[in-house]
Amino acid sequence: MSAVMNIKLTVNGVVYEKTVEPRLLLVDFLRQDLHLTGTHAGCEHGVCGACTIIVDGDSVRSCLMFAVQADGCKIETVESLARLGSVDSLNPLQESFRSHHGLQCGFCTPGMLMTSTDLLKKYPLATDEEIREGLSGNLCRCTGYEHIVQAVRTAVGQREESEK
Amino acid sequence: MPSWKKDCPCSRANEFMKPAQFEYLRAASIAEAVAALSAQAGEGKIIAGGQSLVPMLNFRLLKPLLLIDIMGIAELKFLEETPGGGLRIGALTKHHTLETSPLVKRLFPVLSEAMSHVAHLAIRNRGTIGGSLSHADPAAELPLMAVLLDARIRTASPEGGRTIAAADLFVAALTTRLLESEIIVEVELPALAPATGWAFEEVSRRAGDFALAAVGVLLAVEKGKVSSASIAMMGVAETPLRAARAEALIKGRAIDASLLDELVTAVRDACEPNTDLHASADYRRHLVGVLARRAVIAAWKRALGEQP
């Protein structure tokens, strides 16, 4: 035990070793220590979903986790979705958000994308109601959600295409 | 650091930490966690999934000096059927595991159903059964399920640990009978009678919000009559409650419309709801009766082998 601790973790395929205070939230670690500002800090108490990332294969809220808890973990953030992190190489889910206008100001988008990534992996999402329920932990103040649901609906269709 | 960030508040991270300072220990065994908690004499706090604890730390409602992380303790991670058809659930079992496990779906379908109502996927991915029971939120699904299913809670403490019946665990909102240095290690669910009918009904303002009220029901039926009944409700008192008078009322009888009216009255009489921002006490009392009626009908149908 000490005032600062050493942690080693993998973020988007890159191994980082850093020294952190135990009380440093994972979202702040990603943004301030690693300068990965794609993950957004919104409410910072687990309500808005903007900071959702994938830790060891499961979506989690990075404002409800300390960086020290992620020692040894494999993390994926929104920056991992597009190849080369470039707008010219969006993944199918991102492309679907773009073509359906599934974002306006974009603040909630990283969380929407990472939550949708996990939902697409774990649930059938057979109905729009199921998609809405799955996304209910991610707040968007611009779109009214309609276009986000449409974007995920298209991604569900693409998932089924690729499974054939 | 890029030059444009030098003057940004985010470059002075330490001035903007949300929680108060604490030290952090990753415990490797139950014994180490209990010893560390005991040594702190009330200034330590166990963290597992942290889905209720971290918001309280972020708001500085809690300022422990030491956080003891138990997420790495392998002996708390198991989910297995007991010889009689019950379940032994390790304290670190996550909500999402209980929601999706084929074993839980087969033995306690009411538990899988209730778990799908817990918050959101990102929360269910990290929140644990031991954490939810220790936190004892009066509107949380797991405490309700523990009371409905007559769960036995096994604990560890410097004195060695004990087994607490779920009905005795919850004292008030966010308050349990757990001692300062006692942690939950296992939850045991006794087997249900064969062909037990079940139902879970909940109303919340939005999907994933804490429930305004919820009801869980188990009914065993023999020769067209209720042979045993378990009716539990939450959101309508400081702790989850069993509706004992309503259970006694329907035992030995077949469910019909007039019995349901009596049952609803008994359920409403048993609760002590509060008024808050989300709903008045009167509304909650009304709601719990509606949910109990729906749940008893659905459980009755399932016990008779019909579609609810």
Side-chain angles (χ1 to χ4, degrees):
Chain A
M1 279 182 280
S2 65
V4 291
M5 305 186 81
N6 296 318
I7 59 170
K8 184 176 174 183
L9 69 180
T10 307
V11 183
N12 303 335
V14 180
V15 178
Y16 295 91
E17 284 185 66
K18 293 275 179 184
T19 304
V20 296
E21 250 197 274
R23 61 176 170 154
L24 180 66
L25 291 169
L26 184 53
V27 62
D28 292 329
F29 172 76
L30 293 170
R31 292 177 56 83
Q32 293 161 5
D33 291 55
L34 304 188
H35 307 299
L36 291 169
T37 52
T39 302
H40 288 171
C43 71
E44 298 182 73
H45 65 284
V47 172
C48 77
C51 67
T52 305
I53 59 171
I54 309 274
V55 176
D56 290 337
D58 293 321
S59 58
V60 305
R61 287 173 170 179
S62 58
C63 75
L64 295 187
M65 227 179 132
F66 296 109
V68 284
Q69 290 175 283
D71 185 25
C73 290
K74 268 184 75 176
I75 290 175
E76 289 143 61
T77 68
V78 70
E79 285 93 342
S80 72
L81 297 183
R83 267 183 305 120
L84 318 168
S86 156
V87 289
D88 299 323
S89 59
L90 300 181
N91 83 355
L93 179 66
Q94 290 172 306
E95 190 52 48
S96 182
F97 267 67
R98 193 197 63 78
S99 59
H100 285 281
H101 290 279
L103 63 155
Q104 286 180 30
C105 86
F107 192 87
C108 72
T109 311
M112 288 287 178
L113 290 168
M114 299 318 276
T115 298
S116 301
T117 300
D118 199 22
L119 288 173
L120 284 161
K121 209 167 57 188
K122 291 179 179 167
Y123 291 95
L125 305 179
T127 62
D128 281 3
E129 192 188 341
E130 206 187 330
I131 293 173
R132 284 177 186 277
E133 223 175 278
L135 292 172
S136 61
N138 290 70
L139 302 185
C140 170
R141 303 288 80 170
C142 303
T143 63
Y145 300 99
E146 193 55 41
H147 292 184
I148 297 176
V149 174
Q150 287 171 16
V152 176
R153 164 71 41 235
T154 298
V156 172
Q158 287 167 343
R159 175 184 69 180
E160 273 140 30
E161 279 297 303
S162 70
E163 278 165 2
K164 273 175 198 165
Chain B
M1 181 176 300
S3 61
W4 58 269
K5 274 198 171 164
K6 289 244 167 64
D7 298 319
C8 168
C10 75
S11 68
R12 305 193 304 275
N14 288 346
E15 297 168 38
F16 293 86
M17 296 264 188
K18 291 186 71 99
Q21 267 186 324
F22 54 78
E23 294 200 338
Y24 172 87
L25 172 72
R26 197 176 260 214
S29 66
I30 296 171
E32 187 188 359
V34 167
L37 190 60
S38 172
Q40 287 294 313
E43 299 290 349
K45 195 79 193 158
I46 296 285
I47 185 166
Q51 300 300 288
S52 301
L53 180 61
V54 179
M56 295 169 95
L57 295 172
N58 284 354
F59 283 120
R60 302 198 180 195
L61 295 170
L62 288 176
K63 296 183 216 173
L65 297 182
L66 176 67
L67 220 51
I68 303 155
D69 188 347
I70 60 170
M71 273 310 239
I73 301 180
E75 53 189 320
L76 294 175
K77 293 176 186 169
F78 57 87
L79 177 62
E80 56 192 44
E81 186 171 353
T82 59
L87 265 182
R88 287 180 61 226
I89 308 171
L92 289 179
T93 307
K94 291 167 180 175
H95 291 91
H96 185 66
T97 307
L98 295 174
E99 176 194 355
T100 54
S101 150
L103 189 59
V104 177
K105 278 194 177 145
R106 176 163 61 81
L107 297 175
F108 296 94
V110 69
L111 179 58
S112 320
E113 171 68 20
M115 287 305 96
S116 70
H117 291 260
V118 176
H120 311 287
L121 177 60
I123 308 281
R124 297 197 293 273
N125 276 337
R126 272 194 76 77
T128 65
I129 186 168
S132 178
L133 296 180
S134 308
H135 184 61
D137 193 295
E141 287 81 1
L142 264 173
L144 174 77
M145 285 294 116
V147 167
L148 176 74
L149 296 166
D150 289 317
R152 290 190 289 267
I153 320 294
R154 209 161 62 73
T155 70
S157 70
E159 293 75 36
R162 56 179 169 156
T163 301
I164 309 173
D168 297 330
L169 181 67
F170 305 108
V171 179
L174 309 184
T175 310
T176 67
R177 243 176 257 287
L178 292 174
L179 304 172
E180 202 168 81
S181 303
E182 189 172 26
I183 65 175
I184 293 176
V185 294
E186 179 186 323
V187 178
E188 195 195 329
L189 302 180
L192 300 180
T196 296
W198 60 272
F200 175 78
E201 292 285 337
E202 170 175 314
V203 165
S204 59
R205 299 280 298 237
R206 289 161 294 262
D209 278 11
F210 275 112
L212 296 181
V215 175
V217 172
L218 300 172
L219 289 186
V221 176
E222 277 174 33
K223 295 181 187 144
K225 289 183 175 144
V226 174
S227 57
S228 77
S230 173
I231 303 174
M233 49 193 175
M234 59 93 147
V236 289
E238 287 276 293
T239 66
L241 293 179
R242 282 284 283 270
R245 211 164 65 73
E247 291 172 1
L249 183 73
I250 60 175
K251 216 173 155 188
R253 296 170 71 178
I255 302 296
D256 61 29
S258 71
L259 183 57
L260 282 167
D261 288 341
E262 286 179 64
L263 169 114
V264 166
T265 306
V267 164
R268 287 183 177 142
D269 287 349
C271 68
E272 307 150 17
N274 285 322
T275 292
D276 65 17
L277 186 63
H278 306 294
S280 68
D282 285 346
Y283 178 78
R284 283 199 159 92
R285 191 186 299 279
H286 174 79
L287 179 61
V288 79
V290 173
L291 296 178
R293 183 190 297 269
R294 282 184 201 160
V296 168
I297 291 172
W300 172 251
K301 285 188 174 164
R302 282 198 176 101
L304 297 177
E306 299 168 15
Q307 283 293 320

mmCIF file of all heavy atoms in Angstrom, chain A residues 123-159:
data_model
loop_
_atom_site.group_PDB
_atom_site.id
_atom_site.type_symbol
_atom_site.label_atom_id
_atom_site.label_comp_id
_atom_site.label_asym_id
_atom_site.label_seq_id
_atom_site.Cartn_x
_atom_site.Cartn_y
_atom_site.Cartn_z
ATOM 1 N N TYR A 123 -26.938 -9.839 -27.117
ATOM 2 C CA TYR A 123 -28.408 -9.923 -27.156
ATOM 3 C C TYR A 123 -28.908 -10.052 -28.586
ATOM 4 O O TYR A 123 -28.281 -9.526 -29.520
ATOM 5 C CB TYR A 123 -29.031 -8.686 -26.504
ATOM 6 C CG TYR A 123 -28.819 -8.639 -25.012
ATOM 7 C CD1 TYR A 123 -27.759 -7.932 -24.463
ATOM 8 C CD2 TYR A 123 -29.673 -9.323 -24.149
ATOM 9 C CE1 TYR A 123 -27.541 -7.897 -23.084
ATOM 10 C CE2 TYR A 123 -29.478 -9.299 -22.770
ATOM 11 C CZ TYR A 123 -28.418 -8.585 -22.245
ATOM 12 O OH TYR A 123 -28.220 -8.568 -20.887
ATOM 13 N N PRO A 124 -30.062 -10.729 -28.765
ATOM 14 C CA PRO A 124 -30.619 -10.876 -30.121
ATOM 15 C C PRO A 124 -31.014 -9.529 -30.735
ATOM 16 O O PRO A 124 -30.893 -9.356 -31.945
ATOM 17 C CB PRO A 124 -31.869 -11.749 -29.903
ATOM 18 C CG PRO A 124 -31.818 -12.264 -28.509
ATOM 19 C CD PRO A 124 -30.853 -11.414 -27.736
ATOM 20 N N LEU A 125 -31.501 -8.585 -29.919
ATOM 21 C CA LEU A 125 -31.961 -7.268 -30.403
ATOM 22 C C LEU A 125 -32.959 -7.441 -31.558
ATOM 23 O O LEU A 125 -32.868 -6.776 -32.589
ATOM 24 C CB LEU A 125 -30.775 -6.382 -30.835
ATOM 25 C CG LEU A 125 -29.683 -6.169 -29.783
ATOM 26 C CD1 LEU A 125 -28.554 -5.301 -30.358
ATOM 27 C CD2 LEU A 125 -30.234 -5.501 -28.518
ATOM 28 N N ALA A 126 -33.927 -8.351 -31.329
ATOM 29 C CA ALA A 126 -34.881 -8.691 -32.380
ATOM 30 C C ALA A 126 -35.889 -7.568 -32.626
ATOM 31 O O ALA A 126 -36.425 -7.442 -33.724
ATOM 32 C CB ALA A 126 -35.617 -9.977 -32.008
ATOM 33 N N THR A 127 -36.149 -6.749 -31.605
ATOM 34 C CA THR A 127 -37.140 -5.681 -31.758
ATOM 35 C C THR A 127 -36.516 -4.333 -31.414
ATOM 36 O O THR A 127 -35.506 -4.269 -30.704
ATOM 37 C CB THR A 127 -38.332 -5.895 -30.796
ATOM 38 O OG1 THR A 127 -37.824 -5.836 -29.452
ATOM 39 C CG2 THR A 127 -38.996 -7.245 -31.027
ATOM 40 N N ASP A 128 -37.148 -3.269 -31.906
ATOM 41 C CA ASP A 128 -36.679 -1.928 -31.550
ATOM 42 C C ASP A 128 -36.809 -1.701 -30.044
ATOM 43 O O ASP A 128 -35.998 -0.985 -29.441
ATOM 44 C CB ASP A 128 -37.475 -0.858 -32.311
ATOM 45 C CG ASP A 128 -36.979 -0.726 -33.751
ATOM 46 O OD1 ASP A 128 -36.072 -1.498 -34.140
ATOM 47 O OD2 ASP A 128 -37.518 0.130 -34.484
ATOM 48 N N GLU A 129 -37.837 -2.309 -29.438
ATOM 49 C CA GLU A 129 -38.020 -2.148 -27.996
ATOM 50 C C GLU A 129 -36.793 -2.700 -27.253
ATOM 51 O O GLU A 129 -36.322 -2.097 -26.289
ATOM 52 C CB GLU A 129 -39.293 -2.879 -27.558
ATOM 53 C CG GLU A 129 -39.701 -2.520 -26.134
ATOM 54 C CD GLU A 129 -40.847 -3.375 -25.630
ATOM 55 O OE1 GLU A 129 -41.564 -3.989 -26.447
ATOM 56 O OE2 GLU A 129 -41.002 -3.438 -24.392
ATOM 57 N N GLU A 130 -36.294 -3.827 -27.731
ATOM 58 C CA GLU A 130 -35.123 -4.423 -27.084
ATOM 59 C C GLU A 130 -33.892 -3.519 -27.259
ATOM 60 O O GLU A 130 -33.082 -3.374 -26.346
ATOM 61 C CB GLU A 130 -34.867 -5.807 -27.690
ATOM 62 C CG GLU A 130 -34.150 -6.757 -26.759
ATOM 63 C CD GLU A 130 -33.753 -8.059 -27.448
ATOM 64 O OE1 GLU A 130 -34.466 -8.489 -28.389
ATOM 65 O OE2 GLU A 130 -32.729 -8.628 -27.075
ATOM 66 N N ILE A 131 -33.756 -2.918 -28.425
ATOM 67 C CA ILE A 131 -32.639 -1.986 -28.667
ATOM 68 C C ILE A 131 -32.767 -0.783 -27.736
ATOM 69 O O ILE A 131 -31.801 -0.363 -27.092
ATOM 70 C CB ILE A 131 -32.613 -1.524 -30.138
ATOM 71 C CG1 ILE A 131 -32.277 -2.713 -31.049
ATOM 72 C CG2 ILE A 131 -31.604 -0.388 -30.336
ATOM 73 C CD1 ILE A 131 -32.391 -2.401 -32.537
ATOM 74 N N ARG A 132 -33.981 -0.238 -27.643
ATOM 75 C CA ARG A 132 -34.203 0.925 -26.768
ATOM 76 C C ARG A 132 -33.895 0.591 -25.318
ATOM 77 O O ARG A 132 -33.285 1.384 -24.597
ATOM 78 C CB ARG A 132 -35.647 1.421 -26.894
ATOM 79 C CG ARG A 132 -35.897 2.191 -28.160
ATOM 80 C CD ARG A 132 -37.357 2.606 -28.305
ATOM 81 N NE ARG A 132 -37.566 3.213 -29.610
ATOM 82 C CZ ARG A 132 -37.307 4.480 -29.890
ATOM 83 N NH1 ARG A 132 -36.855 5.285 -28.949
ATOM 84 N NH2 ARG A 132 -37.496 4.945 -31.099
ATOM 85 N N GLU A 133 -34.322 -0.604 -24.884
ATOM 86 C CA GLU A 133 -34.052 -1.011 -23.510
ATOM 87 C C GLU A 133 -32.545 -1.145 -23.297
ATOM 88 O O GLU A 133 -32.011 -0.705 -22.280
ATOM 89 C CB GLU A 133 -34.754 -2.349 -23.240
ATOM 90 C CG GLU A 133 -35.435 -2.387 -21.891
ATOM 91 C CD GLU A 133 -36.213 -3.679 -21.702
ATOM 92 O OE1 GLU A 133 -37.347 -3.757 -22.203
ATOM 93 O OE2 GLU A 133 -35.662 -4.610 -21.073
ATOM 94 N N GLY A 134 -31.864 -1.721 -24.274
ATOM 95 C CA GLY A 134 -30.411 -1.897 -24.175
ATOM 96 C C GLY A 134 -29.672 -0.577 -24.101
ATOM 97 O O GLY A 134 -28.653 -0.458 -23.432
ATOM 98 N N LEU A 135 -30.193 0.435 -24.792
ATOM 99 C CA LEU A 135 -29.534 1.748 -24.829
ATOM 100 C C LEU A 135 -30.040 2.696 -23.742
ATOM 101 O O LEU A 135 -29.614 3.847 -23.685
ATOM 102 C CB LEU A 135 -29.750 2.401 -26.199
ATOM 103 C CG LEU A 135 -29.039 1.734 -27.390
ATOM 104 C CD1 LEU A 135 -29.502 2.378 -28.689
ATOM 105 C CD2 LEU A 135 -27.523 1.833 -27.247
ATOM 106 N N SER A 136 -30.963 2.201 -22.888
ATOM 107 C CA SER A 136 -31.624 3.112 -21.941
ATOM 108 C C SER A 136 -30.660 3.668 -20.896
ATOM 109 O O SER A 136 -30.981 4.650 -20.234
ATOM 110 C CB SER A 136 -32.811 2.423 -21.265
ATOM 111 O OG SER A 136 -32.371 1.298 -20.539
ATOM 112 N N GLY A 137 -29.479 3.060 -20.757
ATOM 113 C CA GLY A 137 -28.503 3.597 -19.815
ATOM 114 C C GLY A 137 -27.577 4.624 -20.440
ATOM 115 O O GLY A 137 -26.604 5.041 -19.824
ATOM 116 N N ASN A 138 -27.851 5.010 -21.684
ATOM 117 C CA ASN A 138 -27.026 6.012 -22.369
ATOM 118 C C ASN A 138 -27.907 7.190 -22.751
ATOM 119 O O ASN A 138 -28.813 7.050 -23.568
ATOM 120 C CB ASN A 138 -26.390 5.408 -23.617
ATOM 121 C CG ASN A 138 -25.315 4.392 -23.272
ATOM 122 O OD1 ASN A 138 -25.629 3.306 -22.766
ATOM 123 N ND2 ASN A 138 -24.073 4.727 -23.514
ATOM 124 N N LEU A 139 -27.631 8.328 -22.161
ATOM 125 C CA LEU A 139 -28.476 9.492 -22.400
ATOM 126 C C LEU A 139 -27.976 10.294 -23.602
ATOM 127 O O LEU A 139 -26.780 10.532 -23.753
ATOM 128 C CB LEU A 139 -28.502 10.394 -21.168
ATOM 129 C CG LEU A 139 -28.992 9.735 -19.879
ATOM 130 C CD1 LEU A 139 -29.087 10.763 -18.761
ATOM 131 C CD2 LEU A 139 -30.333 9.042 -20.070
ATOM 132 N N CYS A 140 -28.924 10.688 -24.452
ATOM 133 C CA CYS A 140 -28.640 11.586 -25.569
ATOM 134 C C CYS A 140 -29.618 12.747 -25.472
ATOM 135 O O CYS A 140 -30.807 12.521 -25.325
ATOM 136 C CB CYS A 140 -28.835 10.858 -26.900
ATOM 137 S SG CYS A 140 -28.770 11.978 -28.316
ATOM 138 N N ARG A 141 -29.098 13.978 -25.515
ATOM 139 C CA ARG A 141 -29.993 15.128 -25.380
ATOM 140 C C ARG A 141 -30.306 15.767 -26.727
ATOM 141 O O ARG A 141 -31.028 16.760 -26.782
ATOM 142 C CB ARG A 141 -29.390 16.173 -24.422
ATOM 143 C CG ARG A 141 -29.076 15.660 -23.047
ATOM 144 C CD ARG A 141 -30.297 15.383 -22.192
ATOM 145 N NE ARG A 141 -30.935 14.110 -22.504
ATOM 146 C CZ ARG A 141 -31.900 13.535 -21.802
ATOM 147 N NH1 ARG A 141 -32.354 14.126 -20.719
ATOM 148 N NH2 ARG A 141 -32.440 12.390 -22.154
ATOM 149 N N CYS A 142 -29.754 15.248 -27.823
ATOM 150 C CA CYS A 142 -29.998 15.864 -29.126
ATOM 151 C C CYS A 142 -31.008 15.093 -29.975
ATOM 152 O O CYS A 142 -32.002 15.623 -30.406
ATOM 153 C CB CYS A 142 -28.715 15.960 -29.953
ATOM 154 S SG CYS A 142 -27.362 16.848 -29.204
ATOM 155 N N THR A 143 -30.724 13.817 -30.197
ATOM 156 C CA THR A 143 -31.356 13.134 -31.331
ATOM 157 C C THR A 143 -32.792 12.709 -31.101
ATOM 158 O O THR A 143 -33.507 12.443 -32.054
ATOM 159 C CB THR A 143 -30.584 11.851 -31.693
ATOM 160 O OG1 THR A 143 -30.659 10.958 -30.570
ATOM 161 C CG2 THR A 143 -29.143 12.142 -32.026
ATOM 162 N N GLY A 144 -33.211 12.564 -29.839
ATOM 163 C CA GLY A 144 -34.503 11.932 -29.604
ATOM 164 C C GLY A 144 -34.428 10.429 -29.802
ATOM 165 O O GLY A 144 -35.460 9.758 -29.824
ATOM 166 N N TYR A 145 -33.247 9.904 -29.972
ATOM 167 C CA TYR A 145 -32.930 8.468 -30.007
ATOM 168 C C TYR A 145 -33.354 7.753 -31.292
ATOM 169 O O TYR A 145 -32.843 6.682 -31.601
ATOM 170 C CB TYR A 145 -33.531 7.719 -28.801
ATOM 171 C CG TYR A 145 -33.026 8.242 -27.469
ATOM 172 C CD1 TYR A 145 -33.789 9.129 -26.724
ATOM 173 C CD2 TYR A 145 -31.775 7.893 -26.985
ATOM 174 C CE1 TYR A 145 -33.332 9.641 -25.518
ATOM 175 C CE2 TYR A 145 -31.301 8.386 -25.779
ATOM 176 C CZ TYR A 145 -32.094 9.267 -25.048
ATOM 177 O OH TYR A 145 -31.626 9.768 -23.860
ATOM 178 N N GLU A 146 -34.320 8.289 -32.022
ATOM 179 C CA GLU A 146 -34.894 7.561 -33.147
ATOM 180 C C GLU A 146 -33.810 7.106 -34.130
ATOM 181 O O GLU A 146 -33.750 5.944 -34.525
ATOM 182 C CB GLU A 146 -35.924 8.466 -33.851
ATOM 183 C CG GLU A 146 -36.816 7.753 -34.842
ATOM 184 C CD GLU A 146 -37.570 6.570 -34.242
ATOM 185 O OE1 GLU A 146 -38.049 6.688 -33.102
ATOM 186 O OE2 GLU A 146 -37.651 5.537 -34.929
ATOM 187 N N HIS A 147 -32.910 8.015 -34.487
ATOM 188 C CA HIS A 147 -31.901 7.676 -35.490
ATOM 189 C C HIS A 147 -30.817 6.753 -34.919
ATOM 190 O O HIS A 147 -30.190 5.995 -35.650
ATOM 191 C CB HIS A 147 -31.279 8.948 -36.067
ATOM 192 C CG HIS A 147 -32.255 9.741 -36.896
ATOM 193 N ND1 HIS A 147 -31.907 10.870 -37.585
ATOM 194 C CD2 HIS A 147 -33.571 9.539 -37.152
ATOM 195 C CE1 HIS A 147 -32.969 11.347 -38.215
ATOM 196 N NE2 HIS A 147 -33.984 10.555 -37.957
ATOM 197 N N ILE A 148 -30.617 6.838 -33.603
ATOM 198 C CA ILE A 148 -29.660 5.920 -32.973
ATOM 199 C C ILE A 148 -30.206 4.502 -33.042
ATOM 200 O O ILE A 148 -29.490 3.549 -33.390
ATOM 201 C CB ILE A 148 -29.383 6.345 -31.506
ATOM 202 C CG1 ILE A 148 -28.725 7.730 -31.477
ATOM 203 C CG2 ILE A 148 -28.519 5.304 -30.801
ATOM 204 C CD1 ILE A 148 -28.501 8.282 -30.079
ATOM 205 N N VAL A 149 -31.509 4.357 -32.740
ATOM 206 C CA VAL A 149 -32.141 3.029 -32.809
ATOM 207 C C VAL A 149 -32.058 2.494 -34.235
ATOM 208 O O VAL A 149 -31.723 1.324 -34.455
ATOM 209 C CB VAL A 149 -33.601 3.102 -32.302
ATOM 210 C CG1 VAL A 149 -34.315 1.761 -32.516
ATOM 211 C CG2 VAL A 149 -33.637 3.492 -30.825
ATOM 212 N N GLN A 150 -32.330 3.352 -35.210
ATOM 213 C CA GLN A 150 -32.240 2.927 -36.612
ATOM 214 C C GLN A 150 -30.815 2.471 -36.961
ATOM 215 O O GLN A 150 -30.620 1.483 -37.676
ATOM 216 C CB GLN A 150 -32.655 4.068 -37.545
ATOM 217 C CG GLN A 150 -34.153 4.329 -37.554
ATOM 218 C CD GLN A 150 -34.501 5.604 -38.331
ATOM 219 O OE1 GLN A 150 -33.688 6.127 -39.087
ATOM 220 N NE2 GLN A 150 -35.713 6.108 -38.112
ATOM 221 N N ALA A 151 -29.839 3.205 -36.451
ATOM 222 C CA ALA A 151 -28.434 2.853 -36.736
ATOM 223 C C ALA A 151 -28.100 1.475 -36.176
ATOM 224 O O ALA A 151 -27.463 0.656 -36.839
ATOM 225 C CB ALA A 151 -27.502 3.910 -36.140
ATOM 226 N N VAL A 152 -28.556 1.221 -34.936
ATOM 227 C CA VAL A 152 -28.268 -0.085 -34.326
ATOM 228 C C VAL A 152 -29.056 -1.181 -35.050
ATOM 229 O O VAL A 152 -28.541 -2.276 -35.291
ATOM 230 C CB VAL A 152 -28.577 -0.067 -32.811
ATOM 231 C CG1 VAL A 152 -28.362 -1.445 -32.200
ATOM 232 C CG2 VAL A 152 -27.707 0.965 -32.103
ATOM 233 N N ARG A 153 -30.311 -0.867 -35.453
ATOM 234 C CA ARG A 153 -31.120 -1.831 -36.211
ATOM 235 C C ARG A 153 -30.357 -2.281 -37.469
ATOM 236 O O ARG A 153 -30.276 -3.469 -37.767
ATOM 237 C CB ARG A 153 -32.469 -1.184 -36.560
ATOM 238 C CG ARG A 153 -33.297 -1.844 -37.645
ATOM 239 C CD ARG A 153 -33.923 -3.196 -37.273
ATOM 240 N NE ARG A 153 -34.447 -3.236 -35.941
ATOM 241 C CZ ARG A 153 -34.092 -4.157 -35.032
ATOM 242 N NH1 ARG A 153 -33.225 -5.108 -35.344
ATOM 243 N NH2 ARG A 153 -34.589 -4.123 -33.828
ATOM 244 N N THR A 154 -29.797 -1.332 -38.197
ATOM 245 C CA THR A 154 -29.033 -1.677 -39.403
ATOM 246 C C THR A 154 -27.821 -2.539 -39.044
ATOM 247 O O THR A 154 -27.512 -3.506 -39.738
ATOM 248 C CB THR A 154 -28.568 -0.381 -40.115
ATOM 249 O OG1 THR A 154 -29.736 0.336 -40.517
ATOM 250 C CG2 THR A 154 -27.732 -0.699 -41.340
ATOM 251 N N ALA A 155 -27.165 -2.200 -37.916
ATOM 252 C CA ALA A 155 -26.000 -2.988 -37.490
ATOM 253 C C ALA A 155 -26.413 -4.415 -37.122
ATOM 254 O O ALA A 155 -25.662 -5.363 -37.360
ATOM 255 C CB ALA A 155 -25.307 -2.308 -36.307
ATOM 256 N N VAL A 156 -27.605 -4.585 -36.561
ATOM 257 C CA VAL A 156 -28.105 -5.938 -36.244
ATOM 258 C C VAL A 156 -28.262 -6.719 -37.544
ATOM 259 O O VAL A 156 -27.861 -7.886 -37.643
ATOM 260 C CB VAL A 156 -29.451 -5.880 -35.478
ATOM 261 C CG1 VAL A 156 -30.052 -7.282 -35.331
ATOM 262 C CG2 VAL A 156 -29.276 -5.244 -34.111
ATOM 263 N N GLY A 157 -28.824 -6.054 -38.577
ATOM 264 C CA GLY A 157 -28.984 -6.688 -39.880
ATOM 265 C C GLY A 157 -27.641 -7.110 -40.465
ATOM 266 O O GLY A 157 -27.491 -8.230 -40.973
ATOM 267 N N GLN A 158 -26.652 -6.239 -40.315
ATOM 268 C CA GLN A 158 -25.308 -6.560 -40.849
ATOM 269 C C GLN A 158 -24.673 -7.707 -40.083
ATOM 270 O O GLN A 158 -23.994 -8.547 -40.661
ATOM 271 C CB GLN A 158 -24.408 -5.326 -40.774
ATOM 272 C CG GLN A 158 -24.773 -4.292 -41.816
ATOM 273 C CD GLN A 158 -24.110 -2.959 -41.542
ATOM 274 O OE1 GLN A 158 -23.632 -2.695 -40.449
ATOM 275 N NE2 GLN A 158 -24.100 -2.100 -42.553
ATOM 276 N N ARG A 159 -24.939 -7.759 -38.775
ATOM 277 C CA ARG A 159 -24.413 -8.859 -37.963
ATOM 278 C C ARG A 159 -24.973 -10.180 -38.486
ATOM 279 O O ARG A 159 -24.259 -11.159 -38.642
ATOM 280 C CB ARG A 159 -24.835 -8.658 -36.504
ATOM 281 C CG ARG A 159 -24.451 -9.786 -35.576
ATOM 282 C CD ARG A 159 -24.988 -9.566 -34.175
ATOM 283 N NE ARG A 159 -26.441 -9.677 -34.115
ATOM 284 C CZ ARG A 159 -27.159 -9.518 -33.003
ATOM 285 N NH1 ARG A 159 -26.568 -9.213 -31.874
ATOM 286 N NH2 ARG A 159 -28.468 -9.641 -33.027
#
